[in-house]
Amino acid sequence: MTELKDIKGIGPRSLSLLNKLNIYTVEDLVTHYPFRYDVLERGDLTKTEDGGHIVIDGKIESVPILMRFKAGLNKMNFRLVTASGVVGVSIFNRAFLKSKLEVGTGISVIGKYDKKKNVITASEIKLETLSNKVKIEPVYHCTSGLTNKNLATYINMAILMCGKEIPDYIPSTYIKKYNFLNKKTALNIIHNPSTEEKLKEVKIRLKYEELFAFMLKINYLRMENKKHNQGLDRSIDRKKLDEFIANIPFKLTGDQTQAVEEIIKDLESKNRMNRLLQGDVGSGKTIVSFIAMIANYLSGYQSALMAPTEILAVQHYNNLKDLVKTSNINVELLTGSTPKKDKIRIYDSLKNGDIDIVIGTHALIQEEVEYKNLGLVITDEQHRFGVNQRANLQNKGLKPDILYMSATPIPRTYALTIYGDMDMSIIKERPKGRQPITTYIKSNDEIKDVLEMMYDELKQNHQVYVIAPLIEDSENSDLATVNKLKDQMTLAFGKKYKIDIIHGKMASGAKDLIMQEFVQGKIQILISTTVIEVGVDVANATTMVIFDANRFGLSTLHQLRGRVGRGSAKSQCILISSTDTKRLEIMKQTEDGFVISEEDFKLRGHGDLFGTKQSGDMEFKIANLRSDYKILLQAKKDSKEYLLSEDSNTDFIKKELIMSINNS
């Protein structure tokens, strides 16, 4: 496969900028799909507003004049005769076109019209008149230093150079069945659509491919799981388990009690448990997982709980240690930053069975880690791990029971499609003592009010989260950024309070250190992207401020709001937006994540199931589980059919996708 650096025009700087957009391979590049299209109709000078974009045909009336400036810049001017009048045209850095722009040549000009000067500043010149009445322009997510035009150029060059190398994950049977275009042609059209009809056609094809590949992985794993579904023989001392539950310093909610009973029943059955525990924000999933591990311990087996971040693993470890401090249960913590000496000790203790419960991060699945009798595997925030990471952990034992946990409420219909082979426990009730979170919607003109609300909480020694949609500035966006907000917050509060930032591009060690300081109260204002959407409990954090809230899905806003209200103090969430406020009203009306998730699916026009594009194997580049649900169902049916067919035994598609599971 051709490497990204080998694509003509992509140098070291461009490569670095593409990496910021999570583009590392040619396949990443050509599947960096436009997030919208601007449809530009054939223009008329008399009807185009000042500063408006225009696409217009005409014939060159004057010999182009080329002016050169310092630093290699140049500008070319000429007059164009159009059906609606003569207009001046200026275009920068296209000196190579001069010899082709002869008087009388028919061309199409695309650009911005200055009505007062009667001049079009062109962004593009086509050396022929366009055959269509409209031009459809793709618009991409960019980053500072990388323009939309740069991206389009790189993408089209990649398709030209190695379009045939891009794998097509649709088996030939289904390409014929649905009369799909080949992959290279589809990519050409989605990045250079000539008509809206053609664009719609290839979108369906590419969405089907993405969903087929996803469902093939899911169905393959289900089939593999069923081959090894025999459970462990175990007998749980229910009396001792009831004593443990009775000594928990709070009473379980009805939903928690129900979930515990379902899990215990699974553990005692002859089949392996394969259960998803869905809990709304702040509903108390973690204590249910602790009870499951105690039950597993009482039946003579080891447990492993894998958390997505070190800070969360430490929190789980400390909480469980506190609950079992009067018992003989040996609990250990294993993360990437565990000292080497301690790691060796933990490896030995896991292997000989001295450790009953281990809590950690992906360090739990390293090759060196061996378990004597692993009986229960729990993954917290399961969608944040790749498919293979979860499989690696469950394969550490002979046939351990599996419990997945997620704090992201999913409409049941969708959950049953994605997790169709799993049993499901749902926790909706909030633990007693938790106060409701008051949600406010403020416009950008009310920032002063927001700062005063923050100050009122800071004066009470409480802490504040501030969320931005972006990390750094982009020339195509005026959205709030983490860095910009830090400057503003420092100006407002820097003399009295410590302020810091955290975001996904930081090294994990640096993120954990800052988060730990926030937990310890050393940082009063933490500015972040959605990286803290799932994180630790900071009981002293009482205020969540989200800038450009209209840019987030309701489910994401709900997850972010759930970072506060963890203690007994009254908490608030402030959504800042001057647009789309009607949609945000649902956040004021309810704290029920399942209600919000249903609304999210009804209202959102884009995005994935979990609200952000940070969700491991649940991330889609073009498919949308809300609007493409019918395609998902068909892809699910076809992928099952394909896996059972003889073709799948030799077809490279299955091999490629199964191989990709190992890289997930």
Side-chain angles (χ1 to χ4, degrees):
M1 183 77 176
T2 305
E3 292 187 30
L4 200 57
K5 63 182 177 61
D6 298 325
I7 300 300
K8 186 177 178 181
I10 297 180
R13 182 172 178 275
S14 301
L15 196 63
S16 176
L17 291 171
L18 289 170
N19 290 167
K20 285 186 177 182
L21 294 171
N22 292 322
I23 296 173
Y24 297 96
T25 66
V26 171
E27 188 173 359
D28 290 339
L29 179 61
V30 298
T31 56
H32 185 77
Y33 299 118
F35 71 91
R36 76 162 197 267
Y37 295 86
D38 288 340
V39 180
L40 305 176
E41 294 190 21
R42 188 61 49 81
D44 182 323
L45 294 172
T46 62
K47 296 178 181 178
T48 304
E49 295 181 359
D50 185 38
H53 284 277
I54 190 169
V55 179
I56 197 163
D57 294 332
K59 289 188 176 182
I60 298 174
E61 185 187 61
S62 65
V63 176
I65 298 172
L66 183 65
M67 296 180 286
R68 298 185 184 276
F69 308 100
K70 291 181 180 179
L73 297 175
N74 61 74
K75 178 182 178 183
M76 191 157 45
N77 297 324
F78 58 88
R79 290 193 307 278
L80 186 73
V81 179
T82 76
S84 52
V86 179
V87 65
V89 177
S90 295
I91 190 165
F92 289 87
N93 299 323
R94 298 292 194 282
F96 59 87
L97 289 176
K98 187 175 187 301
S99 61
K100 299 176 182 178
L101 299 178
E102 298 177 352
V103 173
T105 301
I107 62 171
S108 284
V109 173
I110 302 156
K112 187 178 287 188
Y113 182 44
D114 185 328
K115 204 172 187 74
K116 294 177 183 177
K117 296 180 180 178
N118 192 33
V119 171
I120 298 172
T121 301
S123 59
E124 192 176 348
I125 290 177
K126 297 282 188 182
L127 297 175
E128 56 186 357
T129 55
L130 296 173
S131 57
N132 299 320
K133 291 184 178 180
V134 298
K135 176 173 174 57
I136 304 172
E137 292 235 311
V139 182
Y140 301 93
H141 285 298
C142 301
T143 188
S144 182
L146 190 65
T147 66
N148 197 75
K149 190 164 188 177
N150 293 149
L151 261 176
T153 300
Y154 300 152
I155 289 168
N156 285 310
M157 183 56 69
I159 294 171
L160 181 67
M161 289 178 64
C162 43
K164 290 183 179 179
E165 295 179 29
I166 307 300
D168 186 343
Y169 297 113
I170 305 178
S172 56
T173 302
Y174 300 106
I175 289 177
K176 291 175 184 174
K177 179 179 178 179
Y178 300 120
N179 197 27
F180 285 142
L181 295 168
N182 68 60
K183 183 71 170 281
K184 183 178 179 181
T185 302
L187 289 171
N188 256 317
I189 292 173
I190 199 162
H191 292 293
N192 306 279
S194 57
T195 67
E196 292 185 70
E197 289 74 20
K198 276 289 183 187
L199 179 59
K200 184 178 180 181
E201 180 185 341
V202 297
K203 273 188 174 183
I204 291 171
R205 184 246 189 260
L206 294 169
K207 287 176 178 182
Y208 175 87
E209 179 184 10
E210 190 169 42
L211 292 170
F212 180 90
F214 174 72
M215 290 311 304
L216 187 74
K217 290 181 187 180
I218 295 293
N219 287 323
Y220 172 78
L221 287 170
R222 286 172 182 166
M223 289 171 65
E224 289 297 300
N225 286 338
K226 285 179 181 178
K227 290 178 185 177
H228 314 286
N229 199 34
Q230 186 65 35
L232 296 168
D233 288 326
R234 64 168 89 234
S235 176
I236 298 171
D237 189 329
R238 292 299 296 260
K239 185 178 179 181
K240 288 184 178 180
L241 182 62
D242 290 341
E243 287 175 1
F244 173 80
I245 294 172
N247 287 323
I248 294 172
F250 52 84
K251 187 177 180 181
L252 298 183
T253 65
D255 283 354
Q256 287 173 324
T257 301
Q258 177 67 25
V260 167
E261 286 303 315
E262 290 168 349
I263 290 167
I264 299 305
K265 186 177 178 181
D266 282 355
L267 292 175
E268 292 179 329
S269 77
K270 293 181 180 180
N271 295 322
R272 285 178 83 179
M273 175 169 68
N274 190 32
R275 181 170 291 275
L276 173 67
L277 176 61
Q278 267 203 94
D280 201 354
V281 176
S283 63
K285 300 180 311 304
T286 307
I287 190 63
V288 173
S289 72
F290 287 174
I291 294 170
M293 289 192 289
I294 298 301
N296 182 61
Y297 159 77
L298 291 172
S299 67
Y301 293 99
Q302 295 171 302
S303 298
L305 190 160
M306 185 164 67
T309 64
E310 187 161 322
I311 193 77
L312 193 54
V314 171
Q315 175 179 282
H316 289 335
Y317 170 75
N318 289 333
N319 289 341
L320 183 57
K321 283 284 285 185
D322 188 52
L323 285 173
V324 301
K325 60 188 175 186
T326 59
S327 74
N328 295 321
I329 302 174
N330 187 8
V331 182
E332 287 285 357
L333 176 70
L334 181 60
T335 69
S337 62
T338 301
K340 187 175 181 180
K341 183 179 177 182
D342 290 335
K343 280 184 179 177
I344 293 172
R345 174 183 59 80
I346 292 170
Y347 294 159
D348 290 341
S349 297
L350 284 171
K351 190 173 181 180
N352 64 33
D354 289 340
I355 293 174
D356 303 306
I357 297 173
V358 63
I359 296 175
T361 55
H362 61 279
L364 297 179
I365 60 174
Q366 299 306 307
E367 191 175 337
E368 303 91 333
V369 183
E370 293 181 44
Y371 299 83
K372 182 180 180 180
N373 59 346
L374 183 61
L376 176 62
V377 168
I378 301 175
T379 54
D380 191 9
E381 292 308 324
Q382 63 84 26
H383 63 277
R384 301 228 165 199
F385 294 102
V387 173
N388 191 57
Q389 287 179 310
R390 300 196 298 267
N392 276 351
L393 182 54
Q394 66 190 57
N395 289 337
K396 289 286 186 180
L398 293 174
K399 42 190 173 180
D401 289 290
I402 313 297
L403 179 65
Y404 302 111
M405 297 199 296
S406 176
T408 306
I410 308 167
R412 192 170 183 84
T413 307
Y414 293 87
L416 289 173
T417 300
I418 303 303
Y419 305 114
D421 69 324
M422 292 186 190
D423 295 307
M424 202 175 306
S425 296
I426 295 177
I427 305 177
K428 290 186 177 182
E429 293 176 78
R430 289 167 65 90
K432 290 182 180 179
R434 292 275 178 92
Q435 292 196 40
I437 302 166
T438 306
T439 301
Y440 301 92
I441 299 173
K442 297 286 185 179
S443 70
N444 290 304
D445 295 333
E446 296 176 291
I447 295 300
K448 186 178 178 182
D449 292 344
V450 175
L451 295 175
E452 288 176 354
M453 293 169 75
M454 292 171 62
Y455 188 44
D456 286 342
E457 292 299 308
L458 291 166
K459 283 189 294 185
Q460 297 178 57
N461 295 320
H462 292 153
Q463 291 162 278
V464 177
Y465 290 105
V466 177
I467 306 298
L470 299 176
I471 298 172
E472 54 195 17
D473 291 333
S474 167
E475 63 183 41
N476 296 321
S477 172
D478 58 357
L479 298 177
T481 68
V482 168
N483 295 323
K484 193 186 296 181
L485 285 178
K486 186 179 183 189
D487 292 340
Q488 293 173 0
M489 294 299 157
T490 300
L491 191 63
F493 302 112
K495 291 181 180 179
K496 290 189 175 183
Y497 303 103
K498 186 174 179 183
I499 302 164
D500 216 326
I501 62 175
I502 186 172
H503 55 74
K505 291 186 179 179
M506 296 170 65
S508 59
K511 284 190 291 187
D512 288 341
L513 182 62
I514 291 170
M515 202 67 214
Q516 190 62 50
E517 288 188 347
F518 189 66
V519 171
Q520 294 168 353
K522 295 177 182 178
I523 296 170
Q524 285 75 49
I525 300 176
L526 183 63
I527 303 169
S528 173
T529 54
T530 55
V531 71
I532 56 93
E533 176 191 338
V534 176
V536 297
D537 292 345
V538 182
N540 193 48
T542 58
T543 300
M544 169 65 68
V545 182
I546 305 174
F547 281 79
D548 296 307
N550 58 296
R551 301 291 294 186
F552 299 98
L554 295 178
S555 293
T556 300
L557 294 175
H558 179 64
Q559 293 293 317
L560 291 168
R561 177 171 61 183
R563 292 301 97 215
V564 296
R566 296 278 167 161
S568 57
K570 188 177 179 181
S571 296
Q572 59 189 350
C573 177
I574 307 168
L575 308 176
I576 301 174
S577 176
S578 295
T579 60
D580 206 13
T581 53
K582 185 177 180 181
R583 181 179 69 98
L584 299 178
E585 285 291 328
I586 187 68
M587 297 297 295
K588 291 174 65 175
Q589 296 164 14
T590 183
E591 288 186 65
D592 187 327
F594 291 89
V595 172
I596 288 170
S597 71
E598 291 285 358
E599 288 298 318
D600 216 2
F601 274 91
K602 290 177 188 175
L603 295 171
R604 293 174 66 196
H606 64 279
D608 65 15
L609 188 63
F610 293 106
T612 69
K613 293 284 186 179
Q614 305 180 62
S615 314
D617 59 313
M618 280 301 301
E619 181 176 329
F620 297 107
K621 292 188 174 183
I622 190 169
N624 179 314
L625 293 186
R626 181 192 63 82
S627 57
D628 301 323
Y629 189 54
K630 288 184 179 179
I631 301 176
L632 174 69
L633 291 177
Q634 191 61 50
K636 179 184 179 183
K637 178 177 177 290
D638 291 345
S639 63
K640 277 186 177 180
E641 180 183 83
Y642 172 72
L643 283 169
L644 295 172
S645 70
E646 292 184 5
D647 291 342
S648 72
N649 295 324
T650 55
D651 201 319
F652 98 96
I653 292 170
K654 180 180 175 183
K655 293 177 182 177
E656 284 280 321
L657 289 171
I658 301 314
M659 190 182 301
S660 75
I661 290 176
N662 296 324
N663 296 322
S664 295

